[in-house]
Amino acid sequence: MAAHFLFLALLALASSHAIASDPSQLQDFCVADRKSDVFVNGFVCKDPKMAKPEDFFFSGLDKPGDTGNKLGSNVTQVNVNQIPGLNTLGISLARLDFAPYGLNPPHIHPRGTEILVVLEGTLYVGFVTSNPNKLFTKVLNKGDVFIFPQGLIHFQFNYGKTNAVAIASLSSQNPGVITIANAVFGAKPPISDYVLAKAFQLDKKTVDWLQTQFWMDNNN
């Protein structure tokens, strides 16, 4: 009897892992049909016979992004919205440009883990774990690589006197981004200033001032 229950337990465990894993590809590719009115988790596939090389192509990642903003940073996204052939493939890319002392502010990617490689310059990067809120940081130089686990708050800061460039790859065709300051103080409609004042232990006037600032979404 014990052996029978053990077998059932192992079978259930194996089944749970099978259900939890990503589904296998059922075709070579699924080029996104952006003209379709059907709403699915991702994009509807267009007829594979209508696919063309341009569906898998993007040009211009060699060009620096405009860092002439308050943050001094720019992110050039290369996800399924730029390359329809990425649909269902679970990967995307971004170029990050930093002016001296430029910042990619604290943010999260709710649907993807990020791996970043520095091409030029020096970056101070880090992420914060969930409970307990432990900070992991590292100074990265040219050729260095760092990982930001999915869903964790992270940032990149160029504290050098020269420009910095990095390339990030993410484990989702559309990883999403939630910039913490934007989401908290720039939400539309706004979060109650009473709620924010109590949450951040600030006076209401400070919260009201923060909510009037120009919050820009500058992340990948």
Side-chain angles (χ1 to χ4, degrees):
M1 181 64 69
H4 178 69
F5 280 116
L6 178 60
F7 172 76
L8 291 177
L10 291 174
L11 182 61
L13 183 61
S15 299
S16 66
H17 280 292
I19 294 171
S21 64
D22 290 336
S24 299
Q25 289 286 109
L26 300 179
Q27 54 210 16
D28 291 339
F29 53 77
C30 172
V31 174
D33 181 0
R34 299 200 188 103
K35 296 180 180 179
S36 174
D37 294 328
V38 178
F39 186 82
V40 297
N41 185 20
F43 290 93
V44 173
C45 306
K46 73 177 184 181
D47 187 338
K49 295 178 182 178
M50 302 298 293
K52 53 187 184 295
E54 288 72 21
D55 291 327
F56 305 90
F57 176 77
F58 178 87
S59 180
L61 210 59
D62 60 314
K63 297 178 176 62
D66 182 9
T67 57
N69 52 59
K70 289 184 178 181
L71 295 174
S73 69
N74 186 281
V75 177
T76 303
Q77 302 182 56
V78 188
N79 57 39
V80 70
N81 294 305
Q82 288 75 41
I83 305 180
L86 282 175
N87 193 36
T88 75
L89 297 185
I91 193 170
S92 59
L93 191 69
R95 169 175 173 147
L96 289 74
D97 287 280
F98 299 85
Y101 308 108
L103 171 70
N104 192 8
H107 62 282
I108 68 171
H109 301 295
R111 297 182 295 275
T113 290
E114 176 180 347
I115 182 168
L116 179 138
V117 57
V118 177
L119 301 183
E120 298 291 344
T122 301
L123 293 176
Y124 171 66
V125 306
F127 67 84
V128 180
T129 64
S130 53
N131 299 321
N133 300 133
K134 182 177 180 179
L135 174 64
F136 288 78
T137 63
K138 192 74 176 177
V139 174
L140 306 182
N141 296 298
K142 182 177 180 179
D144 290 344
V145 176
F146 200 77
I147 293 173
F148 305 99
Q150 179 174 338
L152 297 187
I153 296 174
H154 61 284
F155 63 88
Q156 299 100 16
F157 174 62
N158 176 17
Y159 63 13
K161 296 181 180 180
T162 61
N163 293 340
V165 181
I167 293 290
S169 181
L170 299 107
S171 62
S172 170
Q173 68 180 43
N174 186 18
V177 60
I178 300 173
T179 307
I180 307 306
N182 292 26
V184 173
F185 296 107
K188 303 295 181 186
I191 299 173
S192 164
D193 52 5
Y194 175 80
V195 171
L196 295 180
K198 192 172 184 66
F200 288 92
Q201 295 297 289
L202 299 172
D203 62 81
K204 184 176 175 294
K205 289 183 178 180
T206 301
V207 171
D208 291 339
W209 178 81
L210 286 169
Q211 290 183 315
T212 63
Q213 301 308 298
F214 174 68
W215 298 105
M216 63 177 66
D217 192 355
N218 193 54
N219 301 296
N220 48 303

